[in-house]
Amino acid sequence: MIEPNTGGRPLTDYLYAKACRLKIPLNGTFELSPVCNFACRMCYVRKTEKEVQCSPRPILTLDDWLKIAREAREAGMLDLLLTGGEPLLWPDFWELYDQLIDMGFLISINTNGSLIDDEAIRHFLQKPPKRINITLYGASDETYRRLCGTPGVFDRVDRAIRGLLDAGLTVKLNCSLTPENACDIDWIVDYAKARSTVLSVSTYMFPPIRRDPDRIGENERFTAEESTRYLMRYLQRSRGEALYRGYLQSIRDGYAEPQGLDADCIDPEDGHIRCRAGSASFWITWDGWLLPCGMMTQPKVDIKKHSFPDAWRQLTEMSAAVRLSGVCDKCPDRDICHPCAAIAYAETGTFTGIPTYRCRAVQQMCRIASEYNQVSKT
Ligand code: SF4
Ligand code: SF4
């Protein structure tokens, strides 16, 4: 047998590079339901039970998901993210989870953590997922009430994180930072550090155009300049001064490692975004649209009308035709900004628009990097 030459890089990089080249859907996301017990102000997907019941497109059933999973496995899917809304609220979650694990997928779960009790932890221990991603919104009930509209949940989330870690399960913490929970950022960084848990903080909130097409370029979020200031504060505290200084130097040199993205989105060789959406990864919404990425509304294929292989073939062709603005393509700050199709569309309503929110955030990054340099010289 000929061994693949991965050049010392993880085998997953080799697999994803090959999947992109051959258009194999190695990575999938099943968005089981938009229903959530939280009501976060910046959420891009949430709906109430009543809104789902009134939707002209019915929610996918257990049998629908199992059929899609079988077809996607045949087509090459290995990594599978289960998300929502809050996926644990979806009535058939555990039945689906058990069957998907038995099918051999490497499963990750996005959850707000509030419904993970001792019984759920025992269930995960019997059939362990690859990773449980918990979004930690703050340090107190008051922050959760302010941002998520949900009183009295902080202790439940904290207990869930500690319980999962004590059980030896793999947990990653995510944080969506907005004006409502910005006051807790230092505490969140310290909380993750104390537990040696991976933390990813995003200060950029996508306009929620999937929930409301009129919200292009808008969300309950920081100004572009504030989003950069909080990003820098998070990086400085989480990495320490020496690494932070190195990061600012890289900005001055014209390249900054992308932030707030999954490590899988970044090419380990050249550090650029390696967007696999529509070439090796896909997202299926609760009402049956196949999308390249969950932040996009276009291009899309109706999975209710097509088999998975047919829908995937159509999606790869449509995704390959997506182009960004020529201005972004030639922008000197491109390697600091890392523009992507989902951001361009959500900020401007077209793939070829210039997301000026991003431009302002990048200008602020350059200003902070330059001012830091001036101060350290004096
Ligand atoms: S927890 Fe997530 S899915 Fe639920 S409302 Fe908040 S952002 Fe939306
Ligand atoms: S969004 Fe603005 S800063 Fe980013 S690449 Fe495009 S023009 Fe440049």
Side-chain angles (χ1 to χ4, degrees), residues 224-243:
E225 292 76 13
E226 284 168 350
S227 85
T228 297
R229 276 200 293 277
Y230 277 102
L231 174 69
M232 295 304 191
R233 178 165 175 164
Y234 149 62
L235 292 174
Q236 191 168 18
R237 191 167 185 100
S238 61
R239 295 181 177 186
E241 202 61 31
L243 288 176

PDB file of all heavy atoms in Angstrom, residues 224-243:
ATOM      1  N   ALA A 224     -17.596  48.548  14.637  1.00  0.00           N
ATOM      2  CA  ALA A 224     -16.438  47.828  14.093  1.00  0.00           C
ATOM      3  C   ALA A 224     -15.190  48.094  14.940  1.00  0.00           C
ATOM      4  O   ALA A 224     -14.412  47.177  15.229  1.00  0.00           O
ATOM      5  CB  ALA A 224     -16.207  48.278  12.648  1.00  0.00           C
ATOM      6  N   GLU A 225     -15.031  49.358  15.365  1.00  0.00           N
ATOM      7  CA  GLU A 225     -13.836  49.722  16.134  1.00  0.00           C
ATOM      8  C   GLU A 225     -13.831  49.037  17.499  1.00  0.00           C
ATOM      9  O   GLU A 225     -12.814  48.507  17.946  1.00  0.00           O
ATOM     10  CB  GLU A 225     -13.758  51.258  16.304  1.00  0.00           C
ATOM     11  CG  GLU A 225     -13.497  52.021  15.019  1.00  0.00           C
ATOM     12  CD  GLU A 225     -14.725  52.138  14.100  1.00  0.00           C
ATOM     13  OE1 GLU A 225     -15.857  51.833  14.551  1.00  0.00           O
ATOM     14  OE2 GLU A 225     -14.545  52.519  12.928  1.00  0.00           O
ATOM     15  N   GLU A 226     -15.013  49.021  18.150  1.00  0.00           N
ATOM     16  CA  GLU A 226     -15.097  48.339  19.453  1.00  0.00           C
ATOM     17  C   GLU A 226     -14.829  46.845  19.297  1.00  0.00           C
ATOM     18  O   GLU A 226     -14.190  46.225  20.145  1.00  0.00           O
ATOM     19  CB  GLU A 226     -16.503  48.512  20.044  1.00  0.00           C
ATOM     20  CG  GLU A 226     -16.785  49.863  20.629  1.00  0.00           C
ATOM     21  CD  GLU A 226     -18.276  50.037  20.914  1.00  0.00           C
ATOM     22  OE1 GLU A 226     -19.096  49.188  20.493  1.00  0.00           O
ATOM     23  OE2 GLU A 226     -18.612  51.037  21.537  1.00  0.00           O
ATOM     24  N   SER A 227     -15.328  46.265  18.207  1.00  0.00           N
ATOM     25  CA  SER A 227     -15.139  44.810  18.047  1.00  0.00           C
ATOM     26  C   SER A 227     -13.645  44.492  17.992  1.00  0.00           C
ATOM     27  O   SER A 227     -13.192  43.495  18.548  1.00  0.00           O
ATOM     28  CB  SER A 227     -15.885  44.281  16.817  1.00  0.00           C
ATOM     29  OG  SER A 227     -15.125  44.415  15.655  1.00  0.00           O
ATOM     30  N   THR A 228     -12.874  45.361  17.345  1.00  0.00           N
ATOM     31  CA  THR A 228     -11.426  45.132  17.301  1.00  0.00           C
ATOM     32  C   THR A 228     -10.795  45.357  18.673  1.00  0.00           C
ATOM     33  O   THR A 228      -9.937  44.577  19.106  1.00  0.00           O
ATOM     34  CB  THR A 228     -10.773  46.073  16.276  1.00  0.00           C
ATOM     35  OG1 THR A 228     -11.289  45.755  14.997  1.00  0.00           O
ATOM     36  CG2 THR A 228      -9.261  45.924  16.264  1.00  0.00           C
ATOM     37  N   ARG A 229     -11.233  46.413  19.360  1.00  0.00           N
ATOM     38  CA  ARG A 229     -10.641  46.688  20.683  1.00  0.00           C
ATOM     39  C   ARG A 229     -10.858  45.503  21.630  1.00  0.00           C
ATOM     40  O   ARG A 229      -9.950  45.079  22.344  1.00  0.00           O
ATOM     41  CB  ARG A 229     -11.244  47.961  21.291  1.00  0.00           C
ATOM     42  CG  ARG A 229     -10.551  49.229  20.793  1.00  0.00           C
ATOM     43  CD  ARG A 229     -10.781  50.412  21.724  1.00  0.00           C
ATOM     44  NE  ARG A 229     -12.173  50.847  21.748  1.00  0.00           N
ATOM     45  CZ  ARG A 229     -12.715  51.668  20.843  1.00  0.00           C
ATOM     46  NH1 ARG A 229     -11.985  52.146  19.865  1.00  0.00           N
ATOM     47  NH2 ARG A 229     -13.975  52.011  20.921  1.00  0.00           N
ATOM     48  N   TYR A 230     -12.075  44.920  21.605  1.00  0.00           N
ATOM     49  CA  TYR A 230     -12.335  43.777  22.491  1.00  0.00           C
ATOM     50  C   TYR A 230     -11.608  42.522  22.025  1.00  0.00           C
ATOM     51  O   TYR A 230     -11.183  41.702  22.831  1.00  0.00           O
ATOM     52  CB  TYR A 230     -13.842  43.540  22.635  1.00  0.00           C
ATOM     53  CG  TYR A 230     -14.433  44.444  23.686  1.00  0.00           C
ATOM     54  CD1 TYR A 230     -15.147  45.579  23.341  1.00  0.00           C
ATOM     55  CD2 TYR A 230     -14.222  44.188  25.035  1.00  0.00           C
ATOM     56  CE1 TYR A 230     -15.662  46.432  24.308  1.00  0.00           C
ATOM     57  CE2 TYR A 230     -14.727  45.026  26.015  1.00  0.00           C
ATOM     58  CZ  TYR A 230     -15.450  46.140  25.646  1.00  0.00           C
ATOM     59  OH  TYR A 230     -15.926  46.980  26.616  1.00  0.00           O
ATOM     60  N   LEU A 231     -11.469  42.386  20.712  1.00  0.00           N
ATOM     61  CA  LEU A 231     -10.698  41.244  20.202  1.00  0.00           C
ATOM     62  C   LEU A 231      -9.263  41.310  20.735  1.00  0.00           C
ATOM     63  O   LEU A 231      -8.699  40.318  21.209  1.00  0.00           O
ATOM     64  CB  LEU A 231     -10.701  41.257  18.667  1.00  0.00           C
ATOM     65  CG  LEU A 231      -9.814  40.219  17.999  1.00  0.00           C
ATOM     66  CD1 LEU A 231     -10.380  38.814  18.236  1.00  0.00           C
ATOM     67  CD2 LEU A 231      -9.695  40.469  16.500  1.00  0.00           C
ATOM     68  N   MET A 232      -8.677  42.510  20.669  1.00  0.00           N
ATOM     69  CA  MET A 232      -7.298  42.684  21.124  1.00  0.00           C
ATOM     70  C   MET A 232      -7.178  42.428  22.630  1.00  0.00           C
ATOM     71  O   MET A 232      -6.222  41.830  23.103  1.00  0.00           O
ATOM     72  CB  MET A 232      -6.807  44.097  20.802  1.00  0.00           C
ATOM     73  CG  MET A 232      -6.718  44.382  19.331  1.00  0.00           C
ATOM     74  SD  MET A 232      -5.666  43.165  18.503  1.00  0.00           S
ATOM     75  CE  MET A 232      -5.489  43.906  16.917  1.00  0.00           C
ATOM     76  N   ARG A 233      -8.163  42.899  23.357  1.00  0.00           N
ATOM     77  CA  ARG A 233      -8.124  42.692  24.814  1.00  0.00           C
ATOM     78  C   ARG A 233      -8.161  41.195  25.133  1.00  0.00           C
ATOM     79  O   ARG A 233      -7.430  40.709  25.999  1.00  0.00           O
ATOM     80  CB  ARG A 233      -9.324  43.414  25.432  1.00  0.00           C
ATOM     81  CG  ARG A 233      -9.396  43.226  26.903  1.00  0.00           C
ATOM     82  CD  ARG A 233     -10.318  44.210  27.514  1.00  0.00           C
ATOM     83  NE  ARG A 233     -10.447  43.923  28.926  1.00  0.00           N
ATOM     84  CZ  ARG A 233     -10.937  44.780  29.778  1.00  0.00           C
ATOM     85  NH1 ARG A 233     -11.307  45.966  29.361  1.00  0.00           N
ATOM     86  NH2 ARG A 233     -11.048  44.455  31.039  1.00  0.00           N
ATOM     87  N   TYR A 234      -9.024  40.479  24.418  1.00  0.00           N
ATOM     88  CA  TYR A 234      -9.111  39.018  24.615  1.00  0.00           C
ATOM     89  C   TYR A 234      -7.779  38.354  24.274  1.00  0.00           C
ATOM     90  O   TYR A 234      -7.261  37.517  25.031  1.00  0.00           O
ATOM     91  CB  TYR A 234     -10.268  38.475  23.765  1.00  0.00           C
ATOM     92  CG  TYR A 234     -10.091  37.066  23.260  1.00  0.00           C
ATOM     93  CD1 TYR A 234      -9.982  35.986  24.141  1.00  0.00           C
ATOM     94  CD2 TYR A 234     -10.043  36.798  21.883  1.00  0.00           C
ATOM     95  CE1 TYR A 234      -9.824  34.690  23.669  1.00  0.00           C
ATOM     96  CE2 TYR A 234      -9.879  35.512  21.410  1.00  0.00           C
ATOM     97  CZ  TYR A 234      -9.763  34.456  22.313  1.00  0.00           C
ATOM     98  OH  TYR A 234      -9.593  33.183  21.845  1.00  0.00           O
ATOM     99  N   LEU A 235      -7.184  38.747  23.130  1.00  0.00           N
ATOM    100  CA  LEU A 235      -5.931  38.104  22.714  1.00  0.00           C
ATOM    101  C   LEU A 235      -4.807  38.398  23.705  1.00  0.00           C
ATOM    102  O   LEU A 235      -4.012  37.519  24.042  1.00  0.00           O
ATOM    103  CB  LEU A 235      -5.541  38.591  21.315  1.00  0.00           C
ATOM    104  CG  LEU A 235      -6.466  38.122  20.179  1.00  0.00           C
ATOM    105  CD1 LEU A 235      -6.078  38.785  18.865  1.00  0.00           C
ATOM    106  CD2 LEU A 235      -6.421  36.613  20.044  1.00  0.00           C
ATOM    107  N   GLN A 236      -4.756  39.640  24.177  1.00  0.00           N
ATOM    108  CA  GLN A 236      -3.693  40.033  25.105  1.00  0.00           C
ATOM    109  C   GLN A 236      -3.792  39.229  26.403  1.00  0.00           C
ATOM    110  O   GLN A 236      -2.809  38.714  26.910  1.00  0.00           O
ATOM    111  CB  GLN A 236      -3.830  41.529  25.406  1.00  0.00           C
ATOM    112  CG  GLN A 236      -2.658  42.112  26.145  1.00  0.00           C
ATOM    113  CD  GLN A 236      -2.709  43.641  26.157  1.00  0.00           C
ATOM    114  OE1 GLN A 236      -3.763  44.237  25.905  1.00  0.00           O
ATOM    115  NE2 GLN A 236      -1.586  44.273  26.434  1.00  0.00           N
ATOM    116  N   ARG A 237      -5.000  39.091  26.909  1.00  0.00           N
ATOM    117  CA  ARG A 237      -5.168  38.384  28.192  1.00  0.00           C
ATOM    118  C   ARG A 237      -4.990  36.872  28.023  1.00  0.00           C
ATOM    119  O   ARG A 237      -4.414  36.208  28.871  1.00  0.00           O
ATOM    120  CB  ARG A 237      -6.553  38.672  28.778  1.00  0.00           C
ATOM    121  CG  ARG A 237      -6.667  38.177  30.205  1.00  0.00           C
ATOM    122  CD  ARG A 237      -7.877  38.729  30.892  1.00  0.00           C
ATOM    123  NE  ARG A 237      -7.920  38.341  32.293  1.00  0.00           N
ATOM    124  CZ  ARG A 237      -7.560  39.120  33.294  1.00  0.00           C
ATOM    125  NH1 ARG A 237      -7.105  40.327  33.065  1.00  0.00           N
ATOM    126  NH2 ARG A 237      -7.670  38.697  34.548  1.00  0.00           N
ATOM    127  N   SER A 238      -5.483  36.337  26.895  1.00  0.00           N
ATOM    128  CA  SER A 238      -5.417  34.876  26.765  1.00  0.00           C
ATOM    129  C   SER A 238      -4.014  34.408  26.381  1.00  0.00           C
ATOM    130  O   SER A 238      -3.555  33.365  26.816  1.00  0.00           O
ATOM    131  CB  SER A 238      -6.450  34.370  25.760  1.00  0.00           C
ATOM    132  OG  SER A 238      -6.204  34.921  24.499  1.00  0.00           O
ATOM    133  N   ARG A 239      -3.290  35.211  25.589  1.00  0.00           N
ATOM    134  CA  ARG A 239      -1.978  34.736  25.112  1.00  0.00           C
ATOM    135  C   ARG A 239      -0.810  35.207  25.958  1.00  0.00           C
ATOM    136  O   ARG A 239       0.275  34.640  25.885  1.00  0.00           O
ATOM    137  CB  ARG A 239      -1.747  35.243  23.689  1.00  0.00           C
ATOM    138  CG  ARG A 239      -2.726  34.640  22.731  1.00  0.00           C
ATOM    139  CD  ARG A 239      -2.482  35.107  21.344  1.00  0.00           C
ATOM    140  NE  ARG A 239      -3.402  34.449  20.450  1.00  0.00           N
ATOM    141  CZ  ARG A 239      -3.363  34.552  19.143  1.00  0.00           C
ATOM    142  NH1 ARG A 239      -2.455  35.309  18.571  1.00  0.00           N
ATOM    143  NH2 ARG A 239      -4.232  33.927  18.390  1.00  0.00           N
ATOM    144  N   GLY A 240      -1.012  36.298  26.675  1.00  0.00           N
ATOM    145  CA  GLY A 240       0.109  36.889  27.407  1.00  0.00           C
ATOM    146  C   GLY A 240       0.805  37.911  26.512  1.00  0.00           C
ATOM    147  O   GLY A 240       0.656  37.901  25.280  1.00  0.00           O
ATOM    148  N   GLU A 241       1.598  38.784  27.167  1.00  0.00           N
ATOM    149  CA  GLU A 241       2.136  39.965  26.484  1.00  0.00           C
ATOM    150  C   GLU A 241       3.070  39.608  25.316  1.00  0.00           C
ATOM    151  O   GLU A 241       3.007  40.217  24.248  1.00  0.00           O
ATOM    152  CB  GLU A 241       2.869  40.840  27.511  1.00  0.00           C
ATOM    153  CG  GLU A 241       3.025  42.289  27.108  1.00  0.00           C
ATOM    154  CD  GLU A 241       1.687  43.004  26.893  1.00  0.00           C
ATOM    155  OE1 GLU A 241       0.684  42.663  27.551  1.00  0.00           O
ATOM    156  OE2 GLU A 241       1.650  43.895  26.020  1.00  0.00           O
ATOM    157  N   ALA A 242       3.939  38.596  25.501  1.00  0.00           N
ATOM    158  CA  ALA A 242       4.944  38.317  24.457  1.00  0.00           C
ATOM    159  C   ALA A 242       4.259  37.849  23.165  1.00  0.00           C
ATOM    160  O   ALA A 242       4.566  38.347  22.064  1.00  0.00           O
ATOM    161  CB  ALA A 242       5.928  37.264  24.950  1.00  0.00           C
ATOM    162  N   LEU A 243       3.309  36.929  23.277  1.00  0.00           N
ATOM    163  CA  LEU A 243       2.630  36.432  22.070  1.00  0.00           C
ATOM    164  C   LEU A 243       1.760  37.518  21.449  1.00  0.00           C
ATOM    165  O   LEU A 243       1.647  37.637  20.230  1.00  0.00           O
ATOM    166  CB  LEU A 243       1.781  35.204  22.399  1.00  0.00           C
ATOM    167  CG  LEU A 243       2.569  33.924  22.685  1.00  0.00           C
ATOM    168  CD1 LEU A 243       1.634  32.796  23.088  1.00  0.00           C
ATOM    169  CD2 LEU A 243       3.385  33.510  21.469  1.00  0.00           C
TER     170      LEU A 243
END
